Amino acid sequence: MSLREKGGTLGCDPRVATAAVAGRGPMRETPKGIRIPIARLADVICVLEEARRLAEKL
């Protein structure tokens, strides 16, 4: 996960990470991931917390 500027706006870029060879070696980010604008980060956190609460009830 990193914070990066793109197009003049700051965003959070969580990425899928994988080891180079069969689960061994250092973890490296892949191109797979999403970009969350910092202005929307609080909204995403709220939604994830609600999802966790619902999942805990199952």
Side-chain angles (χ1 to χ4, degrees), residues 12-56:
C12 175
D13 288 338
R15 299 280 156 197
V16 173
T18 185
V21 179
R24 295 184 180 163
M27 297 296 285
R28 298 182 187 221
E29 289 183 346
T30 70
K32 296 179 181 180
I34 60 172
R35 177 171 174 74
I36 305 166
I38 293 299
R40 300 301 308 263
L41 197 53
D43 296 332
V44 172
I45 291 168
C46 285
V47 168
L48 291 172
E49 288 173 341
E50 179 64 19
R52 184 188 57 173
R53 281 191 292 274
L54 292 172
E56 288 172 348

Side-chain angles (χ1 to χ4, degrees), residues 4-11 35 37-38:
R4 295 184 181 140
E5 185 178 343
K6 184 175 182 181
T9 61
L10 191 59
R35 177 171 174 74
I38 293 299

